[in-house]
Amino acid sequence: DSGVTQTPKHLITATGQRVTLRCSPRSGDLSVYWYQQSLDQGLQFLIQYYNGEERAKGNILERFSAQQFPDLHSELNLSSLELGDSALYFCASRSSGTDTQYFGPGTRLTVL
Amino acid sequence: DQQVKQNSPSLSVQEGRISILNCDYTNSMFDYFLWYKKYPAEGPTFLISISSIKDKNEDGRFTVFLNKSAKHLSLHIVPSQPGDSAVYFCAANYNTDKLIFGTGTRLQVFP
């Protein structure tokens, strides 16, 4: 158990819909990262937040957005969903002064 | 542009033998490298890491070697156990920013 939690574990929805994925980092970790893994590919970095502020952006679509709340949990919002958005979405957290990111169990999104 | 490459999609090793997983990178700015293990339907689990100022790091059965001149790192698992069967990802970063992942190597350890 990494200490990072993600909900829901599975999400099935239709094209055009909007969903929200939630992540709670390890206790005390200020940095939260979101990654997408599609079809046995490597994990692709989407976005990073640090203590409530956006810190870095990767290959994140404009239809996707994220935020980190004062209690440090983070949400990833995916809108106008397309079939190609079906993937595993992972959240990771990192404590200050270290380089290691710890991952949650992921949310499997299926868009029908 | 694939900055981190794992050219072997799969590896099969007998129990008790050594497993060697390889990873190549192209960006000389990377200063920290990590290996993660992933089971199906679970998140990646951190295994071992190495800073670019070192060339070897060991933790129990796991050893990571870094060859900066060749931009190559490898993970050695000795002895291999059936429970090691999983997908292994190498990852790299700099400035403690995003991780750049390879595409993974599926390791199967058979009796």
Side-chain angles (χ1 to χ4, degrees), chain A residues 33 35 45 56 90 99 101 104, chain B residues 32 36 38 43 96-99:
Chain A
Y33 302 77
Y35 292 85
F45 169 73
F90 291 103
D99 291 284
Q101 295 180 24
Chain B
Y32 199 73
Y36 287 86
K38 187 179 181 303
T96 64
D97 206 319
K98 61 186 178 183
L99 290 176

Side-chain angles (χ1 to χ4, degrees), chain B residues 53-67:
Chain B
I53 62 173
K54 295 185 175 181
D55 54 19
K56 176 183 175 181
N57 189 26
E58 197 170 352
D59 184 1
R61 296 186 298 115
F62 302 92
T63 303
V64 56
F65 296 92
L66 176 62
N67 182 334

Side-chain angles (χ1 to χ4, degrees), chain B residues 16-28:
Chain B
R17 302 274 192 163
I18 184 171
S19 295
I20 300 176
L21 296 98
N22 294 304
C23 181
D24 297 296
Y25 61 95
T26 58
N27 190 339
S28 58

Side-chain angles (χ1 to χ4, degrees), chain B residues 72-85:
Chain B
H72 177 84
L73 66 155
S74 60
L75 174 68
H76 292 210
I77 307 174
V78 184
S80 301
Q81 299 173 354
D84 296 329
S85 297

Side-chain angles (χ1 to χ4, degrees), chain A residues 22-26 28-30 51-52 68-74:
Chain A
R22 182 188 170 104
C23 167
S24 293
R26 297 186 316 157
D29 286 359
L30 301 180
N51 201 20
Q68 186 178 27
F69 294 87
D71 67 352
L72 300 178
H73 92 269
S74 178

Side-chain angles (χ1 to χ4, degrees), chain A residues 24-93:
Chain A
S24 293
R26 297 186 316 157
S27 177
D29 286 359
L30 301 180
S31 287
V32 170
Y33 302 77
W34 286 96
Y35 292 85
Q36 179 193 56
Q37 185 186 22
S38 304
L39 290 174
D40 293 329
Q41 294 184 9
L43 284 75
Q44 300 292 321
F45 169 73
L46 294 176
I47 197 164
Q48 177 202 0
Y49 275 81
Y50 176 81
N51 201 20
E53 294 190 4
E54 182 184 303
R55 179 64 67 91
K57 257 185 174 179
N59 299 322
I60 187 166
L61 300 172
E62 285 190 12
R63 301 183 285 109
F64 295 2
S65 64
Q67 53 185 328
Q68 186 178 27
F69 294 87
D71 67 352
L72 300 178
H73 92 269
S74 178
E75 293 181 357
L76 179 67
N77 301 295
L78 315 177
S79 62
S80 302
L81 285 168
E82 302 175 358
L83 296 177
D85 297 328
S86 295
L88 280 164
Y89 291 85
F90 291 103
C91 165
S93 74

Side-chain angles (χ1 to χ4, degrees), chain B residues 41-61:
Chain B
E42 294 184 13
T45 300
F46 170 70
L47 271 179
I48 191 169
S49 61
I50 187 167
S51 164
S52 61
I53 62 173
K54 295 185 175 181
D55 54 19
K56 176 183 175 181
N57 189 26
E58 197 170 352
D59 184 1
R61 296 186 298 115

